[in-house]
Amino acid sequence: MPSVLSSTPTRRSLLAAGGAFGALASAGCVRQARNIAGRDRPEQLSLDVKTIPGDADPFGLATANRLVEALKSVGVAAQLTPLEPEEFYRQVLINHNFDIYVGQFPEQFEFDPDALYPLLHSKFDTEPGWQNPFGFTNLECNDLLESQRTQTGGRRRETVRDLQAHVARTGPFVPIALIDQLTAVRTDRFDGWDPVWPTAPLGLLGLERVADTADTLRLSSTDQRITVNRNPIAAEFRRHGAIIGLLYDPLTRRDGDELIPWLAESVDWERSDDGVEAIVRVRPDLSWHDGTAITAEDIAFTYRFLTDTSLGNAEDPIPTPKFRGRSSLVSEVVVESDSTATISFEDVSREIAPIALTVPLLPEHIWTEKTGPATIAGIEVNSETTEAVVWNNPEPVGSGPLQFESATDGERAAFELFEDYFLVDGRDTEIPEPYASGPAFDRLEIQLAGTDSSTIEIVSIGDADATLSTLGPGVIERINDESALNLITSQSHAFYHLGFNTRRAPLGNPHFRRTVAQLIDKDALVEDVTDGFGEPIASPLAGTEWLAPSLEWDGRDPTVPFFDDGSGELNVTMAREQFTEHGFQYNDEDELVVRNR
Amino acid sequence: MGLLSVLTEVAIFIVSACLVASIAFIGPARLLELRSEAIPRLLDSKRLIAVLLVVLVTNGLIRDATQNLSWVFGWNVTPLIRQIEGGVVIYIQSFATPLLTAYFSYIYVFGYAFLLIFPFLAYLSLSDQTHFRSLVLAYTLNYGLGLLCYLLFIAYGPRNSFGPGLVESLLFDTYPQFQFLTRSVNVPTNVFPSLHTSLSATVALLAFHTRREYPIWLWVSTVLAVSVFISTMYLGIHWLLDVLAGLVLAVVSVEGARRYVKTGSFIGRSSTDSDESAEVRS
């Protein structure tokens, strides 16, 4: 940046002048020289935009590119840094090392508004994972998040509306769009693909076998993370959790609006003094993949472990980077017997509490071994991290219908049917069809490819039955052209958004963030890049029944409308004026300048 | 198997292309001589060949490890490269037509493979084996130095930096099956420098030094090499800077290799004089 380079010699020459004339000049003159030289010159604001490269996320990259170009045109030195998914999430979610990121919310399936609790509550500021990566601190927001937990029905709805309006106004992140999840499937071996969620855990469990010879369900993916890491609590390695959801069963599974008791045989709810209690009875004779019996102790352990992976050994609790919102609902778990546990919820309403039971159950005997500090070659490097959080979990021991078989880093991963699974061992359950008879396949294999078009090629030549990872809109034509391929579009709830690191000036300034939000033409972006398979949004709850009516999209963003010059292009003058209005300055070269960055 | 069928296609093409090129460029006399001479000549260069194989195998084995190391220690130069060169690749792609895309895609996969393999045959057929040794060593240097750069620099290509609407991933969108092949030999962050460029340029540079033996090959290899340079950018895989760095790497590798083969040292006396005389002799 030219201003940086020029500022140093200027200051130096001034000081030199001050020194040379010091002997002759009056004290007043020197004082003035010091006054001038001692002031920091403002420098052009530079911002780095992080995102996942186009092979893995075409829409995110397109969004980031438009943002960078818009920022440049309003005088910000913006640059784009593509990072592979694992690295992206590590830098953004774990290290909080970013200015702005473009990413997707991890909950692909319809989520409860309480998912915003860990995302925005200031108490999660320092925690790694999808816990307030923005470093957002706002008392009003905290109040709204806490109230909605205790409320039910219409009052909660009201609070959630206020919360959305508040988030839209203060803008720690900018919701951009909901992009349909596209899946290419073929139906000659397996059919009954869920029209809504073909590759969700329940979608895969509901498949039926068409060809008698088909024993392996084969999926193609661009996302290599499941081949290197199968740790359910590692936020940077998990996407939407489809495979992990088949390896690790929860107590209850969410199926649309319903919660199906899964590992739990029954859940009875009771009112308590300051909240509610769930009396959970696990199904009899359940075992982990290694044969150890599943007991109520594992329930108690799971919630204790999710809130502190060091189990009290570290100075401060080290919570898991995932499932944090749900684990923070639970206040206590009491083991009543081998099969029964009472889970207590403080200041949480009966309406929200059940979602806490959808976390994966973790085996105590495996994870208690992993509570020590993380080490590299035996040397402790970071006392704020436990082994559990960074463990690759190469051979996961879960309780789900699939167990780990084998994997090759970056190439493939295979899972096989767990023979002792309660849906396949012949017992009667109340689990509804089409899940009641367990998976229709004996193995599940994931095959890696480099780009979305090659994942489709793998399905098209008959080497896989469906695609698992994100497909860009560029491949739709190809899917429609191939008669063997069917396209399933699902409305994803994993909203795309810009995240601001509010810890870094001037991103802590809501006016700045709002003005940046107005640089993006969400409508044009969605139309140009997604071919109609998406919609621009103004609230993270768009696409759910919780959306605040005031934040419905009606051709433009109701809170932060695009600076339109009338022809669909960015009105640069208007944008610059708004920056100036909010106290930002431009130098002679039309660069937006800041001090003390 | 997607990969297997692509591999078969490439293999069939290379064998046939080498057959035709051998007859056209090497000529029956040298080929007849090669029948008896091939083995002793290969044995003469066995140390250099072994080193190349070791580098290639190591490259394959440690690719994942270096990739991980690179993310820890490497310098992500993608934004810098993009800042320096801007939209060169966008400009190049603005000329895209289906015919050009087909040409450059096949050049990138088939043309490149042929360009790399044929010189082995060509130079093994010469009675003066210095060129063969230079070739083997130059390839080794390309891979070795290239790997070092990949460890130091993380860079995504234009298609992964600009993305849809700006730079299209022409090769993989048009011929997704080629992805099975490139994926198994490369990772998307290893673009600086372009090894496609450096190895093709290496072949063309060596062809220049052997223009007396193979005058037409000089022209054929130059046309192919230049096509490969352009294809890497046209297809959205490499930046212009990757290509330029690839050219530098090629010059360094070829000069280094030729010096070493002649003088036994990489930084020995300039080989220009002995170069001329060697060529006159042969």
Side-chain angles (χ1 to χ4, degrees), chain A residues 48 53-56 58-59 61-62 65 68-69 72 79-84 86-87 409-411 447-454 457-458 461 463 478 529, chain B residues 1-3 5 63-64 67-68 71-72 76 78-80 82-83 154 156 158-164 166 169 172-174 176-177 179-180 183-184 188-189:
Chain A
D48 181 48
D55 280 349
F59 184 76
L61 184 64
N65 265 296
V68 165
E69 287 317 309
K72 280 185 188 164
Q79 66 168 24
L80 189 150
T81 306
L83 295 167
E84 66 167 30
E86 177 193 335
E87 192 63 28
D409 277 12
E411 296 292 329
Q447 202 180 328
L448 268 286
T451 61
D452 54 358
S453 42
S454 43
E457 178 71 11
I458 294 177
I461 59 176
D463 279 357
R478 187 179 177 83
V529 184
Chain B
M1 269 304 285
L3 175 61
S5 68
R63 200 168 52 233
D64 268 355
Q67 162 91 2
N68 280 321
W71 276 110
V72 177
N76 193 337
T78 324
L80 184 67
R82 180 165 157 180
Q83 200 184 346
I154 295 178
Y156 276 106
R159 72 193 171 89
N160 271 320
S161 174
F162 284 110
L166 295 166
S169 186
F172 305 133
D173 286 351
T174 325
Q177 67 273 21
Q179 231 279 318
F180 304 141
R183 194 189 125 71
S184 61
T189 48

Side-chain angles (χ1 to χ4, degrees), chain A residues 116 211 274 340 357 410 442 529 570:
Chain A
L116 298 179
D274 44 11
T340 315
L357 305 185
D442 302 328
V529 184
L570 173 67

Side-chain angles (χ1 to χ4, degrees), chain A residues 294-302 304 335 337-338 340-341 362 364:
Chain A
I294 298 178
T295 68
E297 291 287 350
D298 291 309
I299 301 179
F301 169 79
T302 297
R304 199 152 42 101
V335 176
S337 71
D338 257 9
T340 315
L362 301 174
E364 180 171 12

Side-chain angles (χ1 to χ4, degrees), chain A residues 302-444:
Chain A
T302 297
Y303 291 100
R304 199 152 42 101
F305 180 72
L306 292 178
T307 35
D308 181 8
T309 55
S310 79
L311 297 179
N313 291 326
E315 201 133 318
D316 296 308
I318 303 172
T320 55
K322 265 188 88 73
F323 311 113
R324 194 60 186 108
R326 281 174 267 179
S327 69
S328 70
L329 290 166
V330 173
S331 55
E332 197 190 7
V333 182
V334 176
V335 176
E336 311 284 354
S337 71
D338 257 9
S339 61
T340 315
T342 304
I343 305 178
S344 313
F345 301 84
E346 243 173 65
D347 296 327
V348 172
S349 73
R350 166 74 177 82
E351 193 175 304
I352 306 177
I355 60 172
L357 305 185
T358 58
V359 300
L361 206 65
L362 301 174
E364 180 171 12
H365 64 285
I366 301 285
W367 293 89
T368 38
E369 309 284 311
K370 303 290 173 193
T371 54
T375 58
I376 295 177
I379 301 159
E380 188 181 319
V381 283
N382 185 345
S383 60
E384 275 88 56
T385 303
T386 52
E387 199 185 340
V389 174
V390 295
W391 186 34
N392 281 339
N393 193 17
E395 294 179 24
V397 174
S399 58
L402 294 183
Q403 59 183 347
F404 176 74
E405 182 201 279
S406 61
T408 316
D409 277 12
E411 296 292 329
R412 51 172 284 284
F415 306 89
E416 60 189 6
L417 186 67
F418 175 39
E419 302 282 346
D420 293 335
Y421 194 58
F422 69 93
L423 289 177
V424 298
D425 70 355
R427 71 173 81 181
D428 272 339
T429 63
E430 312 226 305
I431 302 237
E433 287 298 343
Y435 319 123
S437 49
F441 43 88
D442 302 328
R443 285 177 82 244
L444 183 149

